[in-house]
Amino acid sequence: MACRSASAVMDEQALLGLNPNADAPYRQRALAYFEQLKESQDAWEVCADALAKGIYSDDHVKFFCFQVLEHQIKFRHAGLSAPQQQLIRETLMTWLQTQLMNAQPEKAFIRNKAAQVFALTFVMEYLTLWPKFFFDILNLVGLNPHGVDIYLRTLMAIDGEVVDRDIVHTPEETRRNTLIKDSMREQCIPSLVESWFQILTAYQQNHPELTCQCLEVVGAYVSWIDLNLIANDRFVNLLLSQMSMEDLREEACDCLFEIVNKGMDPVDKTKLVESLCQVLQSAGFFNIDQEEDVDFLAKFSRLVNGMGQSLVLSWTRLVKCGGAKEAAAALHAVEAKVPLLLQLLVHEDDDISTNMVGFCYDYLHVLKQLPQLTEQQKANVEAVMLAVMKKLTYDDEYNFDNEGEDEAMFVEYRKQLKMLLDRLAQVSPELLLEAVRRVFTSTMQTWQTAPFMEVEVAIRLLYMLGEALPASHGAHFSGDTAKTGALQDMMRTLVSCGVSGYQHSSVSLEFFETVVRYDKFFIVEPQHIPNVLMAFLDQRGLRHNSPKVRSRVSYLFSRFVKTLHKHMTAFIEDILTRIQDLLELAPPENGFLALLTSDDQLFMFEAAGVLIVSGESPMERKQVLMRSLLAPLMDAFRLLLAKLLQETAEERQAALADCLSHAVGFASRTSKAFSNKQTVKQCGCTEVYRDCLQSFLPALSCPVQRGALRGAVRSFLHRMIICLEEEVLPFVPAASEHMLKDCEAKDLQEFIPLISQITAKFKCQVSPFLQQIFMPLVLAIFEVLGRPAEENDQTAALEKQMLRRSYFGFIQTIAGSGMNEVLANQGAENMERVLFTIIQGAVEFPDPIAQKTCFIILSRMVELWGGKDGLVGFPDFIYKHIVPACFMAPLKPTFDLSDAQTVLTLSECALTLKMIHLKRGSEFIQFLQHEYLPSLQVTPEISQELCQVLQQPDIKVLKNYIKAFFQRAKL
């Protein structure tokens, strides 16, 4: 045994800092003391001494001592001497012996920590130093309640260390854990099981908490021990008797669940579940109606679900391996549980019902695989349908105005029920359609007097059929006449029975959701469109008293209009008049409550744009309507911008800028209505959008709130490049000039795509402008990239990386659009500077996305200027810089050839070499063989091999060779 120094005492001052209420200096001293004890070779022994002798009564000090011991065992066990390891074992057993004599047990947090230390010691020593671990503990504790408590907690801690699949283990730990379990099965599991039986028997009357702990242990261990030790008459009868004891039955239920869940032969599993069910049934547990304890029923439903799913799994496995008789027996067992399944599925407590969804889903999957359903199975399907329909219904307590956790849980539960409905549709679409039709029709006949939840669920079921019954692109009203007839009848009833006027937000929402889901119905029966439009436009929809309904309906209205605008031509101007007040820009004054939020208004402007553009009015009329839609936005924008320029309060400035951004966003959204068939020009709307540009562009020079304003105007320019075509070009130079002033990295990064879009779309038309703006833009980028940043500033580093990528993307767009004159006309010095940034981008920065772009640019430049009649001096640049870049970049340590993005970069690098060979021919081969490759110490054989591959036509061969070449070079 290790020698304990008589003078070794703990630092009493430091221990004061363990109290949660201690001052900071004391707490810091306690922390430092903990570190000192952890790291010392033997100072921790004072903690062992304190625990063994029970020196301290303070709970925090006891816990502290166990923490120090835990650290030694977990991290330093191998380095401890044999006497020190012996000291730990003795300390634990001495402490445990003390617990047997104490009148009161230790606090739970100390017992848990002690169990953890016991478990860690077990893991470290069971296979080597302490094979009698369990026997030592069992001999010591006997049936002493305090001792049994520590024993059971230790078993659960061992389960956490050795068995728990949720804990990630290293391969070494996994191997060790397997050896521990094998050794336990051989040496001690029967004794442990016997101890559990004794504990369960001895304490079931007077110590329910210990009995529950023991049941939890049995449930945890049953997954990997011999099931016959537990699944026998003696043990199961004991568990079943405890199912009738109020304090024990929930844990007993969980224990039986784990037994049922254990993997085993399908025939044996079926027999086990059936025998268990018979006993439970004869004991009256299947009489759900007489059970009032919902907590127990939640556990019991989980057990029934486990039994049901186990039987389904047995049936599946038996069908696969051809055991027809056994499979029939398993199916019969499954069917016998359906009445119980239905009772629990329709239980008013949603937690109990939720527990049955898995078994129900699996049972329906079984029915789907059967060639034909019996009458009983059809009845079961219908019963499940009715149960799902009933459980989909909201209850009285659901708070629609302030949805909290309970409401969120019900929404999740509804999603699970929807899965069952979808599965029902796969089993028997006809039955589902008929059942929904029956419920829907009867509810719609009495909707005026029916409670809201019944009306909502009836419409909800019709809505859910849209996903449950498959239809290509929502074509529910063509094809199978039985289906289309039923859906058409229900939709006709929905839009003509007046239910859209029901005074509850949930019904209103469900009505509009369903109308839009089945919008193709109105193509078949367009006569209903006016009535539905009125519902959208009045207090039932966009003017509903619930903001939630108004918000959702604005989106649904825009979808409805987009699908059915061809059938609305007669009402376009009437609709626009009715929604005019909803299109007003909400002023930034406090207290103004608009009906719709600005996000909702975006959908309204889009819908208005679609109505104007797709109508059959002549061009002149469309122009007038579009101007009347956009003019108020322009007028408001000019007024608000003038206010912003005079405003000094920052909060007010932000509100004004927000409002200005919305105005631009609304105008932008209307342009989504145009298409290749209906262009801005064909609709006569060019002038009004040019006027918008004239109104919005001055915001770019506003000295305050630049980020928001520039972002909004830039987005509008993007849209106008698409819609206005070349009409937008006169506005671009001035806009660009403003956007390049006082730039940050983010501004430039967002501006470059705009210029790239213009370049790609208009190509040579914008060449003069590009030549003019090119260097100012490039210099602005260089200036921002050159700004110093903090070494650890990740945000700044990322912004620069993204800007660099945008810059290279811009050069690629110019080169790819065939506008080499833009680069060539920048003057030799500027041109050289740009070229060197591309070489630098290809080689220096470990960013494969940017590097790939750089090699694409270099390849394109070689193609443009690398030939006999190319740019003067460019061949020299190829040999001095481009060729070395193709070799230096892949040779960098940061160039990771196992990364997919980097491999793409390498492919572009190979294509660049191929392009040089195409343009320079044998001269390039000579350069490689006699000058460049020898300078890299490449052997003549490999040089010749590379040059041969470069000269053959198959580019794939070259790419593969280049990858292998650099993999070899980096070894």
Side-chain angles (χ1 to χ4, degrees):
M1 178 166 166
C3 298
R4 294 183 184 140
S5 163
S7 61
V9 290
M10 297 183 80
D11 181 342
E12 301 290 337
Q13 288 295 309
L15 295 180
L16 292 173
L18 297 173
N19 190 309
N21 302 319
D23 293 338
Y26 281 107
R27 287 206 302 273
Q28 282 166 355
R29 182 162 172 182
L31 205 60
Y33 185 46
F34 181 49
E35 291 303 317
Q36 177 196 331
L37 289 176
K38 276 194 328 188
E39 297 312 318
S40 163
Q41 287 298 317
D42 54 9
W44 58 270
E45 292 177 18
V46 296
C47 294
D49 198 45
L51 284 170
K53 292 179 178 173
I55 294 170
Y56 294 97
S57 58
D58 187 308
D59 292 332
H60 299 294
V61 177
K62 293 177 196 171
F63 187 80
F64 174 82
C65 290
F66 272 120
Q67 276 186 305
V68 173
L69 242 60
E70 178 187 30
H71 183 84
Q72 293 302 317
I73 299 160
K74 201 169 186 176
F75 300 109
R76 307 187 64 159
H77 186 270
L80 297 176
S81 66
Q84 285 179 316
Q85 291 172 345
Q86 176 69 15
L87 169 62
I88 289 175
R89 291 193 287 278
E90 286 181 5
T91 299
L92 291 176
M93 295 305 281
T94 307
W95 178 84
L96 181 56
Q97 194 166 14
T98 310
Q99 302 312 302
L100 309 184
M101 297 177 281
N102 284 352
Q104 290 299 319
E106 295 281 11
K107 296 269 174 52
F109 74 94
I110 294 174
R111 283 179 279 156
N112 284 336
K113 180 54 75 177
Q116 217 174 340
V117 174
F118 269 101
L120 283 171
T121 309
F122 166 81
V123 168
M124 293 294 180
E125 302 194 349
Y126 177 64
L127 294 171
T128 52
L129 300 168
W130 202 354
K132 299 267 186 237
F133 177 87
F134 289 113
F135 296 107
D136 290 350
I137 290 177
L138 284 170
N139 286 336
L140 179 64
V141 302
L143 282 174
N144 178 290
H146 294 173
V148 167
D149 176 86
I150 300 296
Y151 165 61
L152 294 172
R153 286 174 195 267
T154 299
L155 283 168
M156 286 310 294
I158 288 171
D159 176 71
E161 290 290 333
V162 177
V163 184
D164 195 331
R165 290 181 179 87
D166 294 333
I167 294 169
V168 180
H169 292 293
T170 65
E172 182 57 36
E173 287 171 341
T174 305
R175 196 177 65 80
R176 177 204 67 195
N177 292 348
T178 305
L179 285 172
I180 289 174
K181 285 189 287 185
D182 290 344
S183 186
M184 284 177 71
R185 287 190 195 101
E186 282 175 31
Q187 294 170 12
C188 64
I189 287 296
S191 301
L192 296 187
V193 173
E194 184 57 36
S195 75
W196 302 337
F197 186 79
Q198 298 302 328
I199 292 165
L200 291 173
T201 313
Y203 290 124
Q204 59 184 356
Q205 300 296 344
N206 57 353
H207 269 300
E209 68 285 353
L210 274 184
T211 314
C212 286
Q213 256 180 279
C214 191
L215 287 167
E216 190 185 355
V217 168
V218 176
Y221 279 70
V222 81
S223 68
W224 61 275
I225 65 174
D226 178 2
L227 189 63
N228 293 319
L229 294 168
I230 306 288
N232 51 49
D233 288 348
R234 182 177 80 135
F235 227 109
V236 171
N237 287 338
L238 177 63
L239 290 173
L240 288 168
S241 71
Q242 292 177 346
M243 286 274 287
S244 304
M245 299 180 187
E246 199 166 328
D247 289 339
L248 307 180
R249 58 192 197 153
E250 288 181 31
E251 284 298 341
C253 236
D254 278 347
C255 190
L256 286 170
F257 172 80
E258 295 300 339
I259 293 170
V260 165
N261 239 22
K262 183 174 170 71
M264 57 194 291
D265 173 79
V267 176
D268 292 344
K269 174 62 75 76
T270 305
K271 285 177 185 166
L272 172 69
V273 172
E274 281 302 82
S275 63
L276 193 56
C277 280
Q278 282 168 6
V279 184
L280 287 169
Q281 192 163 8
S282 58
F285 285 104
F286 286 12
N287 303 329
I288 304 299
D289 301 340
Q290 291 161 28
E291 181 56 66
E292 292 176 1
D293 183 351
V294 290
D295 290 335
F296 170 67
L297 270 184
K299 297 285 189 182
F300 183 68
S301 60
R302 182 167 170 260
L303 171 60
V304 174
N305 187 70
M307 292 193 294
Q309 287 191 298
S310 292
L311 290 171
V312 170
L313 185 61
S314 293
W315 175 82
T316 308
R317 288 169 64 189
L318 289 165
V319 167
K320 273 186 186 166
C321 67
K325 188 180 169 190
E326 293 86 352
L331 183 57
H332 178 73
V334 171
E335 303 271 13
K337 310 297 168 294
V338 173
L340 185 57
L341 155 68
L342 290 166
Q343 272 185 289
L344 291 164
L345 187 65
V346 293
H347 196 281
E348 62 181 14
D349 186 283
D350 290 343
D351 289 339
I352 293 167
S353 177
T354 303
N355 283 341
M356 300 311 299
V357 169
F359 176 28
C360 189
Y361 190 82
D362 289 353
Y363 173 60
L364 293 173
H365 186 60
V366 169
L367 296 184
K368 185 184 165 216
Q369 295 171 69
L370 299 178
Q372 202 171 356
L373 299 186
T374 64
E375 289 307 310
Q376 183 56 55
Q377 286 166 340
K378 284 180 186 171
N380 288 345
V381 168
E382 241 178 300
V384 171
M385 280 179 198
L386 292 172
V388 169
M389 290 175 188
K390 182 183 175 189
K391 291 303 293 178
L392 276 166
T393 311
Y394 286 113
D395 60 26
D396 293 328
E397 277 115 51
Y398 193 99
N399 188 337
F400 289 90
D401 299 320
N402 186 20
E403 291 175 318
E405 193 178 339
D406 289 345
E407 287 74 18
M409 283 166 70
F410 182 71
V411 169
E412 279 307 306
Y413 170 58
R414 262 190 156 192
K415 287 177 187 172
Q416 291 186 296
L417 293 175
K418 182 196 170 299
M419 278 168 37
L420 291 181
L421 203 79
D422 291 346
R423 185 42 62 95
L424 283 162
Q426 293 167 6
V427 175
S428 181
E430 304 79 21
L431 277 175
L432 179 63
L433 190 59
E434 192 44 50
V436 171
R437 185 181 193 168
R438 208 166 47 240
V439 171
F440 179 82
T441 307
S442 67
T443 308
M444 289 304 112
Q445 283 167 353
T446 57
W447 70 262
Q448 290 94 333
T449 54
F452 84 87
M453 58 278 281
E454 286 179 21
V455 181
E456 190 275 345
V457 87
I459 304 173
R460 178 82 178 174
L461 286 165
L462 171 56
Y463 174 86
M464 288 167 105
L465 279 178
E467 274 184 15
L469 303 174
S472 175
H473 304 297
H476 288 287
F477 303 96
S478 58
D480 176 9
T481 49
K483 181 187 119 177
T484 56
L487 283 173
Q488 226 163 302
D489 287 349
M490 286 190 275
M491 279 303 293
R492 198 179 301 119
T493 303
L494 179 71
V495 297
S496 58
C497 73
V499 74
S500 60
Y502 196 101
Q503 294 297 300
H504 195 281
S505 61
S506 69
V507 177
S508 304
L509 276 174
E510 211 53 67
F511 172 81
F512 289 110
E513 293 282 3
T514 308
V515 159
V516 173
R517 163 154 281 180
Y518 296 111
D519 49 16
K520 303 278 193 308
F521 162 76
F522 298 96
I523 296 170
V524 183
E525 298 193 22
Q527 66 269 27
H528 300 291
I529 291 176
N531 284 341
V532 173
L533 276 173
M534 282 311 299
F536 267 114
L537 297 169
D538 63 23
Q539 75 288 344
R540 290 170 288 176
L542 289 163
R543 297 171 194 284
H544 197 281
N545 57 14
S546 159
K548 184 179 171 183
V549 174
R550 294 196 300 269
S551 177
R552 185 67 183 162
V553 169
S554 59
Y555 161 71
L556 293 169
F557 176 65
S558 110
R559 274 188 53 190
F560 192 70
V561 167
K562 279 192 217 171
T563 307
L564 299 167
H565 55 76
K566 286 179 183 167
H567 300 273
M568 297 181 187
T569 48
F571 328 115
I572 286 173
E573 300 209 17
D574 185 27
I575 296 169
L576 290 171
T577 304
R578 287 173 187 272
I579 64 171
Q580 197 168 348
D581 62 317
L582 301 174
L583 298 167
E584 287 173 9
L585 192 66
E589 273 75 50
N590 291 338
F592 180 84
L593 288 172
L595 277 174
L596 299 179
T597 68
S598 53
D599 285 344
D600 302 334
Q601 283 182 290
L602 284 169
F603 294 116
M604 298 306 296
F605 273 97
E606 189 173 350
V610 169
L611 288 167
I612 294 167
V613 170
S614 56
E616 291 174 2
S617 315
M619 184 197 288
E620 296 73 27
R621 187 65 193 150
K622 287 184 181 179
Q623 186 180 3
V624 169
L625 290 172
M626 193 58 88
R627 186 167 286 283
S628 67
L629 180 64
L630 295 175
L633 291 176
M634 292 187 263
D635 294 342
F637 189 91
R638 283 188 283 267
L639 282 169
L640 290 168
L641 185 60
K643 275 188 185 176
L644 177 59
L645 290 165
Q646 292 163 359
E647 186 58 60
T648 52
E650 197 171 328
E651 199 176 319
R652 179 92 181 126
Q653 282 178 355
L656 286 163
D658 211 29
C659 203
L660 286 162
S661 299
H662 293 322
V664 180
F666 297 156
S668 190
R669 198 61 171 256
T670 59
S671 72
K672 285 199 162 192
F674 298 103
S675 63
N676 293 335
K677 292 177 185 170
Q678 294 273 14
T679 64
V680 174
K681 198 177 277 185
Q682 286 165 341
C683 295
C685 296
T686 303
E687 193 182 332
V688 67
Y689 281 104
R690 285 180 56 182
D691 289 351
C692 283
L693 272 170
Q694 294 272 27
S695 303
F696 300 156
L697 286 179
L700 291 173
S701 55
C702 180
V704 292
Q705 299 292 319
R706 285 196 350 237
L709 295 177
R710 282 184 178 184
V713 175
R714 189 171 48 242
S715 295
F716 187 68
L717 274 166
H718 276 296
R719 288 292 313 150
M720 292 304 102
I721 290 164
I722 296 164
C723 299
L724 283 184
E725 307 261 322
E726 58 276 358
E727 296 282 347
V728 80
L729 292 178
F731 298 94
V732 172
S736 303
E737 191 184 329
H738 285 304
M739 283 195 255
L740 279 175
K741 272 186 189 159
D742 309 319
C743 284
E744 296 300 322
K746 198 165 179 294
D747 297 323
L748 281 170
Q749 193 191 317
E750 288 169 350
F751 172 64
I752 290 169
L754 184 74
I755 297 298
S756 295
Q757 186 189 8
I758 292 165
T759 306
K761 187 169 177 70
F762 299 112
K763 296 186 171 66
C764 298
Q765 277 177 278
V766 289
S767 181
F769 159 68
L770 277 176
Q771 289 182 48
Q772 183 187 336
I773 198 177
F774 182 83
M775 275 323 287
L777 173 57
V778 167
L779 290 170
I781 293 167
F782 290 171
E783 192 272 321
V784 170
L785 288 175
R787 286 178 196 166
E790 296 279 325
E791 196 175 328
N792 298 325
D793 190 342
Q794 295 293 318
T795 309
L798 185 63
E799 279 188 354
K800 284 190 177 184
Q801 183 188 54
M802 299 311 286
L803 177 56
R804 213 176 277 116
R805 284 183 190 176
S806 298
Y807 163 64
F808 293 133
F810 171 53
I811 304 288
Q812 184 192 347
T813 305
I814 290 175
S817 301
M819 289 190 284
N820 41 332
E821 74 279 358
V822 172
L823 295 167
N825 293 344
Q826 297 305 320
E829 195 179 323
N830 287 335
M831 170 85 166
E832 194 173 287
R833 193 171 172 189
V834 170
L835 287 174
F836 277 121
T837 62
I838 296 156
I839 296 289
Q840 189 184 24
V843 179
E844 296 300 325
F845 300 109
D847 176 6
I849 293 172
Q851 287 175 291
K852 179 182 151 199
T853 309
C854 289
F855 279 115
I856 292 171
I857 296 165
L858 292 171
S859 185
R860 179 69 176 143
M861 287 176 169
V862 170
E863 186 184 359
L864 291 171
W865 298 325
K868 300 277 187 286
D869 49 357
L871 206 64
V872 177
F874 195 74
D876 199 36
F877 184 81
I878 290 174
Y879 292 128
K880 279 187 179 167
H881 303 289
I882 298 180
V883 174
C886 293
F887 287 88
M888 288 298 110
L891 285 170
K892 287 262 178 186
T894 51
F895 200 90
D896 179 8
L897 289 168
S898 64
D899 170 61
Q901 192 65 54
T902 306
V903 172
L904 292 177
T905 304
L906 189 64
S907 291
E908 292 303 335
C909 176
L911 289 172
T912 305
L913 288 169
K914 187 71 181 166
M915 183 57 74
I916 297 170
H917 176 249
L918 277 173
K919 289 293 174 182
R920 305 306 303 174
S922 58
E923 170 194 290
F924 173 49
I925 299 298
Q926 292 287 321
F927 170 75
L928 281 180
Q929 276 190 313
H930 300 299
E931 288 185 46
Y932 188 67
L933 292 175
S935 75
L936 296 178
Q937 274 80 51
V938 177
T939 65
E941 298 78 37
I942 292 176
S943 294
Q944 190 173 359
E945 200 176 79
L946 172 59
C947 292
Q948 281 171 348
V949 175
L950 262 172
Q951 292 173 79
Q952 57 80 48
D954 190 343
I955 195 67
K956 197 172 178 185
V957 173
L958 174 62
K959 286 180 181 179
N960 290 336
Y961 180 83
I962 288 287
K963 187 177 179 184
F965 176 87
F966 284 110
Q967 279 171 334
R968 261 196 325 242
K970 293 178 111 170
L971 288 175

